[in-house]
Amino acid sequence: KNEINIQLNINGVDIAIISQGDPSTGLKDKLNNAIKNCKVVICATRTSGETVEAVNSISQIYDAEVIWTSTYSTDKKNKSLLDKVNQIKARQIVDLLIELKYIN
C-alpha cells in the first residue's frame, strides 16, 4: 500500500525512513528497531495521540533529537500536483539533513 519502511546509508550515515505512522500500525516497534541501527530516523506520525507518544517514548529511551514537520496538503484528485509537492517535501528533508550536518 505505498508505505515505506527502509534503512539506507547515505554518505556513511545510516538513515531509516518509515512512512506508516497511523495508530495501531506498530510504529513504536518500528522506531525501536530503526533507532538501534540508524543515526537518523525519519517517520510519519499523526499530530497527537498514539503515534506522537511512540516517538516521544523512543526518543527519551535513546536520548534522540526530535524534529517535527508536516506534509503539504493538496486536492488528492490531482495526482500530478500531489507527486510534485511530495518531491518538494523530500528535497526539503534532504536539505534539512545536510544543513544539520547529518549528511553531506
Side-chain angles (χ1 to χ4, degrees), residues 17-84:
I17 302 171
I18 303 167
S19 70
Q20 191 171 24
D22 291 328
S24 302
T25 60
L27 180 61
K28 189 171 183 177
D29 290 335
K30 292 176 195 173
L31 287 172
N32 193 43
N33 289 331
I35 204 163
K36 288 178 185 177
N37 301 318
C38 297
K39 180 175 182 176
V40 178
V41 178
I42 299 168
C43 71
T45 69
R46 300 285 177 107
T47 56
S48 63
E50 177 185 322
T51 57
V52 171
E53 291 168 12
V55 169
N56 287 334
S57 172
I58 296 298
S59 68
Q60 287 177 0
I61 291 169
Y62 293 97
D63 194 28
E65 294 289 335
V66 176
I67 300 170
W68 297 100
T69 187
S70 61
T71 60
Y72 293 119
S73 296
T74 67
D75 178 354
K76 297 201 190 275
K77 295 175 190 169
N78 185 340
K79 182 169 174 10
S80 175
L81 177 61
L82 180 61
D83 288 346
K84 188 170 208 152

